Amino acid sequence: MNLPGDPGLEPGALYVVATPIGNLGDLSPRAQAVLGAVSRIAAEDTRTTSALLAHFGIRTPPGGLVALHDHNETRVAEGLIAELADGATLAVVSDAGTPLISDPGYALVRAARAAGRAVYTVPGPCAAIAALSVSGLPTDRFVFAGFLPAKSGARRAAFERIKAEPRTAIYYESTHRIEDSLDDLVAVLGAERRVCLARELTKRFEQSITLPAAELRIWQREDPNRGRGEFVLIVEGAPIAETDDRIDIEAERVLRLLLAELPASRAVRLAVEITGAAKKPLYQLALKIAGKGAGDSDRDDNESA
């Protein structure tokens, strides 16, 4: 195990480094060590990263910072991969949070993988996960959808796509559109769908609240300050009706594992408890897997499903 001040860098490797989303105290000792030791740092905005490095007294060699953003990433990545092939070490950072999560870095990581270069993570802050963790909404299954579209029609279409989605949905939104986005959310998903609004995470004016969508819209407009900052919206998933006969992939996987060791009725009961899936379709699937008809009894277990 490497000590915090000894990053143990591998020649020719790429390091994906998470940086603070607000509180500078969240830059890990390992991240500091890696940023201070790599040959070059590919940054979304070199000015932002220069300020971060200066705060921690991290110096880079001449030319050690290179801009890597949406408009130049594909072109710049080729040269950076060539440097890795020569044994250089490279870190990629975004302005805040974990690179690639609605930030640049994907083309570089993909190119590094394609070239057979090692890619390592230096984990840390991520606004989506930070907001989810404090939302009070289900965290076992979720979908991250990045920034909401800028126009109302496209936003409403995005919300339509999750209208029946049982997983918690995570979106980013800007201060300029948060009110309109809440209007569109209520119009499409209804007044009662629970939503967490989290803003300015880890910063001085951090705030998060979870309310039914219509109440959240009213709350947000009661104070002009609640429209300022960077926002994460966590949207509760749609309820799964007990009569829904669909079985998701995870529920089927769990059921098959249990059936390998247990009678059908016990396997079904445990699968329901573990996954929250509806009991009836799981039992029907269990009978099908076991090669029994719907009218057959489970002779290995006296319990009824």
Side-chain angles (χ1 to χ4, degrees):
M1 177 180 293
N2 295 316
L3 298 175
D6 174 24
L9 298 185
E10 178 181 321
L14 170 64
Y15 294 83
V16 180
V17 182
T19 56
I21 59 177
N23 191 317
L24 292 178
D26 292 334
L27 186 68
S28 72
R30 180 177 172 229
Q32 294 178 48
V34 168
L35 293 176
V38 291
S39 307
R40 298 190 82 183
I41 300 172
E44 181 180 5
D45 187 321
T46 56
R47 295 166 298 181
T48 299
T49 300
S50 292
L52 178 70
L53 297 177
H55 177 84
F56 288 97
I58 298 172
R59 296 183 178 181
T60 58
L65 270 178
V66 57
L68 184 87
H69 47 70
D70 291 337
H71 304 294
N72 75 348
E73 184 175 358
T74 301
R75 173 175 54 82
V76 171
E78 182 177 351
L80 293 175
I81 299 304
E83 292 182 25
L84 294 180
D86 290 336
T89 51
L90 176 68
V92 57
V93 298
S94 61
D95 286 351
T98 301
L100 283 75
I101 309 302
S102 283
D103 278 327
Y106 168 67
L108 178 61
V109 171
R110 181 181 59 182
R113 289 289 186 188
R117 310 315 311 175
V119 182
Y120 296 106
T121 178
V122 183
C126 175
I129 299 302
L132 178 64
S133 71
V134 300
S135 69
L137 296 175
T139 59
D140 54 339
R141 299 178 190 177
F142 58 89
V143 55
F144 173 66
F147 282 94
L148 282 164
K151 296 185 177 180
S152 178
R155 274 197 306 272
R156 293 196 177 203
F159 289 137
E160 283 286 353
R161 289 193 289 272
I162 66 161
K163 200 167 186 177
E165 170 60 67
R167 295 172 294 179
T168 302
I170 306 173
Y171 297 98
Y172 289 161
E173 188 50 287
S174 73
T175 184
H176 307 293
R177 296 192 294 265
I178 186 62
E179 289 190 9
D180 292 339
S181 289
L182 290 176
D183 285 342
D184 291 334
L185 190 153
V186 172
V188 175
L189 301 181
E192 298 303 316
R193 185 74 69 95
R194 289 195 303 158
V195 181
C196 174
L197 180 151
R199 71 181 191 94
E200 295 296 88
L201 290 168
T202 78
K203 301 174 185 175
R204 180 180 178 186
F205 298 107
E206 176 177 346
Q207 193 172 33
S208 62
I209 186 169
T210 300
L211 292 169
E215 294 181 30
L216 179 63
R217 180 174 58 177
I218 295 171
W219 176 88
Q220 190 270 326
R221 287 173 175 156
E222 287 176 341
D223 183 346
N225 290 319
R226 295 170 183 168
R228 297 174 180 171
E230 298 175 331
F231 294 85
V232 184
L233 289 177
I234 312 290
V235 183
E236 181 181 40
I240 301 176
E242 185 67 25
T243 56
D244 192 344
D245 288 339
R246 293 174 298 178
I247 300 175
D248 68 22
I249 295 174
E250 179 64 11
E252 181 174 345
R253 185 185 74 83
V254 170
L255 177 63
R256 289 182 180 275
L257 289 173
L258 292 171
L259 283 172
E261 303 293 337
L262 298 171
S265 61
R266 291 181 183 174
V268 169
R269 186 176 69 250
L270 286 174
V272 169
E273 293 177 4
I274 293 169
T275 67
K279 189 175 185 179
K280 182 179 177 181
L282 275 181
Y283 187 63
Q284 292 173 338
L285 177 60
L287 293 178
K288 182 178 180 181
I289 293 171
K292 299 178 180 180
D296 293 342
S297 63
D298 185 351
R299 295 182 180 179
D300 295 322
D301 194 336
N302 292 325
E303 299 178 64
S304 172

